[in-house]
Amino acid sequence: MTGQRRVIAHVLSEADDHPDVEELYRRASALDNRISVATVYRTVRLLEERGILERRDFGGGRARYEASENGCHYHLIDIDSGRVIEFENEELVSLLSQIAKKLGFDLVSHRAELFGRAEKGATADEGKNTSSEGKKSV
Amino acid sequence: MTGQRRVIAHVLSEADDHPDVEELYRRASALDNRISVATVYRTVRLLEERGILERRDFGGGRARYEASENGCHYHLIDIDSGRVIEFENEELVSLLSQIAKKLGFDLVSHRAELFGRAEKGATADEGKNTSSEGKKSV
DNA sequence: GTATGTGCAAACCTTTTGCCTGTCG
DNA sequence: CGACAGGCAAAAGGTTTGCACATAC
C-alpha cells in the first residue's frame, strides 16, 4: 500500500457521486501531484477486481466508479439534468432473481437503470446537492 | 437511400441477436463487398438517432445493436458463454415505473440486465442457437 | 447538377502496457 | 536487497472524421 493508492482510495471513499477516471485523477492530483493517470487506471482496476469498487456505464463512453456497498442498489438518471439518484428496493431484487431462476439461471449480478424526467409538481428535493442525500429506500 | 444502406438495414432486420459493428460489417460484406466499416458506423448512428435501432452495452468495450421494437424487453447474459437471452416481464415494467414515480419522476426509459450462470440440471435450451428462439415471457 | 453517401486512412479518445526507475519492508 | 508500485510515453482498440470520389434523384 503506497502513498498514491492511499490517496486514490481516499478520494474514492469521499466521493458520493460517480466520478470517471479523469475526475478521479483531477481530485487525486489536487491532494498529491505526483500521481499519473496510469496509476488511477491501474488502481481502479485493482479495486474493481477485489470487489471494493464497481464500474458503471451511464453512457458517454467513459466508465464511472463507485464504492461497492453491501446490498445492491440502482440508479435513476434525470435525463434533463444528468443527476444520478441511487435507490434500493428489495422487491426488485427478488423479482429479478426469480426471473433468472425461471429462465434456468442463477443470478450472479445485475443492474437496472431508470431514465426519468422530474414530475412538474413533485417532491423533487432539488437544489444544492447536499452531498450526502444518500440512498433512498423505495 | 443507397445500396450500402439497404444492405446494412437488411442485415439488421434479419438479425435476431445483438451484433456489434464488427459483426455487422462482416455480415454486410458477405452480401456486398463494397462496404466499409466507416459506413456501418455511420449507418448505425443514423438509425439510432432516428430511433430505428438501439445501442446496447453488455460490457466488453464495444457497442451492440438491435432493432427497436414496440414493447420493452430485457436481457439476461450467460456469464460463462456470453449468450444473451431476451425476455419480457410486465411485473418488472410496472415495478420500475412505480419506483420512478415514488422518487418523483416520470419513467422515460429504462434498462435491466441480469448476469447469470446456468443452473446445473436446468432446462437450458442450449445447443445451436436456433436463430429465432425469440423473446421469452417470464 | 447538386446534395448526399462512401471509401480510405488518419485522427481521436479512453484504456492498457512496456520499460525502466522509485518505493516499501 | 527483492518485490512490487508508479511515471512516462507509446500502443491498442473502438469510433469518428476530412477529403476526394461516387451515387442518387
Side-chain angles (χ1 to χ4, degrees):
Chain A
M1 177 55 78
T2 61
Q4 287 91 327
R5 278 194 196 169
R6 227 185 307 275
V7 171
I8 295 171
H10 178 253
V11 166
L12 283 164
S13 66
E14 288 293 277
D16 62 341
D17 51 352
H18 306 77
D20 56 29
V21 168
E22 192 187 334
E23 178 61 26
L24 287 175
Y25 175 55
R26 197 175 305 126
R27 294 182 195 176
S29 294
L31 300 179
D32 180 345
N33 65 330
R34 302 170 320 166
I35 289 177
S36 74
V37 223
T39 299
V40 178
Y41 274 106
R42 278 193 271 239
T43 304
V44 292
R45 187 148 54 115
L46 193 93
L47 295 177
E48 194 199 347
E49 280 162 7
R50 299 201 184 167
I52 295 165
L53 207 57
E54 280 173 35
R55 188 202 307 236
R56 300 275 171 222
D57 166 62
F58 296 148
R62 41 231 275 177
R64 297 171 61 173
Y65 295 87
E66 72 181 321
S68 301
E69 296 169 37
N70 26 350
C72 42
H73 61 275
Y74 309 93
H75 300 96
L76 186 154
I77 295 99
D78 182 330
I79 56 175
D80 295 317
S81 72
R83 192 164 73 111
V84 176
I85 294 164
E86 289 187 357
F87 66 91
E88 49 185 26
N89 182 293
E90 300 194 5
E91 229 181 301
L92 185 49
V93 194
S94 72
L95 176 56
L96 293 178
S97 88
Q98 202 178 307
I99 289 172
K101 188 115 303 189
K102 280 190 197 156
L103 291 167
F105 285 77
D106 284 323
L107 190 61
V108 173
S109 78
H110 62 282
R111 60 192 191 206
E113 275 119 39
L114 314 192
F115 296 85
R117 173 167 287 137
E119 287 176 337
K120 285 156 291 294
T123 57
D125 60 312
E126 291 283 9
K128 64 271 178 186
N129 198 321
T130 51
S131 117
S132 67
E133 52 182 314
K135 205 171 359 181
K136 301 185 197 302
S137 285
V138 189
Chain B
M1 177 56 77
T2 60
Q4 286 90 327
R5 277 195 198 168
R6 227 184 308 275
V7 170
I8 295 171
H10 177 253
V11 166
L12 283 164
S13 65
E14 289 293 278
D16 63 339
D17 50 352
H18 306 76
D20 55 28
V21 168
E22 193 185 334
E23 178 62 25
L24 288 174
Y25 174 56
R26 198 174 304 127
R27 296 183 194 175
S29 295
L31 300 180
D32 180 345
N33 66 329
R34 301 170 321 165
I35 289 178
S36 73
V37 226
T39 299
V40 178
Y41 274 106
R42 281 192 271 237
T43 304
V44 292
R45 185 147 55 114
L46 193 93
L47 295 177
E48 195 200 348
E49 279 163 6
R50 299 201 184 167
I52 295 166
L53 207 58
E54 280 174 35
R55 189 202 309 235
R56 301 271 172 223
D57 165 63
F58 296 147
R62 44 232 275 175
R64 298 172 62 171
Y65 295 87
E66 73 182 318
S68 302
E69 295 168 39
N70 25 349
C72 42
H73 59 274
Y74 308 94
H75 300 95
L76 186 154
I77 296 98
D78 181 331
I79 56 176
D80 294 317
S81 71
R83 193 164 71 113
V84 177
I85 294 165
E86 289 189 355
F87 66 91
E88 47 185 27
N89 183 292
E90 300 194 5
E91 228 181 303
L92 184 49
V93 193
S94 73
L95 176 56
L96 294 177
S97 87
Q98 200 178 308
I99 289 171
K101 189 114 305 190
K102 280 191 196 154
L103 292 167
F105 284 77
D106 285 323
L107 190 61
V108 173
S109 77
H110 62 282
R111 60 189 190 207
E113 276 120 40
L114 314 192
F115 296 86
R117 171 167 289 138
E119 287 175 339
K120 285 154 292 293
T123 57
D125 59 313
E126 290 284 10
K128 62 274 178 182
N129 200 323
T130 50
S131 115
S132 68
E133 53 182 314
K135 207 171 356 182
K136 302 186 197 299
S137 286
V138 189

